Amino acid sequence: MTTTTPGRYLAGLAERTAASFIEAFASAWIVAGAYDLTTAETAALAGLMAALTVLRAALTTFLDHRTADPTVRTGFAYAVDAFERVAATFAEAGIAALLLAGTLDLSNAKAATFAGLTAALAMLKTLAARFVGSAATASLLPAAKDPGSTPGSRPA
């Protein structure tokens, strides 16, 4: 296992948080007409989603969560990271939608649709990440900045 430097940790956190915000904003924007969401409400959903991403990162760091060994450059390590990111995105989007359900007048079905669409966008992002950065993670960061990869690693 490698030790992550603070700069690489922050880069990874920024990448995950930005991706979560963009995925949530895009999915809320796509369905805004059906949900009667304003731009401010769409941004609120995306902002809460990003805050939940930061909270999850803090909790996993506090609990000393270990990801797949970045020195093992296999499709399995990528698959584990991709699954964790998509599952966490679905959960965070669902929680964000349920927390704002009363304010935004979202039904459970609409909240589930938002969470599912956000997770689908996260899956597309992890597929795009397969062609960028380290082969061991689903991050869009270059391998040199990815906390889940070894310095100097390249895509497989």
Side-chain angles (χ1 to χ4, degrees), residues 1-16 67-70 85 134 137 139 141-151:
M1 193 65 58
T2 60
T3 303
T4 302
T5 63
R8 287 173 67 141
Y9 174 79
L10 290 175
L13 178 60
E15 186 267 342
R16 286 179 184 236
T67 57
D69 187 347
R85 288 172 186 247
S134 170
T137 70
S139 174
L141 290 173
K145 295 189 183 289
D146 186 355
S149 68
T150 54

Side-chain angles (χ1 to χ4, degrees), residues 35 44-45 48-49 52 90-115:
Y35 292 0
L45 265 173
L48 183 55
M49 173 87 179
L52 290 171
F90 179 77
E92 291 162 358
I95 291 168
L98 291 176
L99 287 175
L100 294 175
T103 306
L104 303 180
D105 193 30
L106 291 177
S107 67
N108 288 344
K110 289 178 180 179
T113 301
F114 168 74

Side-chain angles (χ1 to χ4, degrees), residues 26-48:
S27 64
W29 182 76
I30 290 169
V31 296
Y35 292 0
D36 294 324
L37 296 178
T38 65
T39 303
E41 291 169 334
T42 301
L45 265 173
L48 183 55

Side-chain angles (χ1 to χ4, degrees), residues 56-80:
R56 177 178 51 93
L59 286 174
T60 55
T61 299
F62 175 74
L63 297 173
D64 199 24
H65 173 71
R66 300 285 185 212
T67 57
D69 187 347
T71 60
V72 179
R73 297 181 58 225
T74 66
F76 179 74
Y78 162 80
V80 168

Side-chain angles (χ1 to χ4, degrees), residues 110-126:
K110 289 178 180 179
T113 301
F114 168 74
L117 183 56
T118 304
L121 292 173
M123 188 65 207
L124 289 175
K125 181 248 176 198
T126 64

